[in-house]
Amino acid sequence: MMYEQRIEEYRESMLQAASKYGYTSKETLAASQHLDKILNLSFKSQEIIPPSKSK
């Protein structure tokens, strides 16, 4: 899938920032936000509409 590689890249970037600057640094937080955005796009593209419940 097209998002999988990007997710892995952003995840690795976040982990590198955390290792270099610490988990609460602005660099790590920015990388985490980028990862969140790509994850949200990925999940949104896979959204499945649940079946309606019968009454």
Side-chain angles (χ1 to χ4, degrees), residues 8-32:
E8 189 58 31
E9 290 170 2
Y10 281 112
R11 187 184 71 78
E12 184 61 33
S13 174
M14 182 187 67
L15 292 173
Q16 287 177 1
S19 177
K20 186 173 183 178
Y21 302 109
Y23 286 98
T24 59
S25 70
K26 64 182 179 180
E27 292 85 359
T28 303
L29 295 176
S32 176

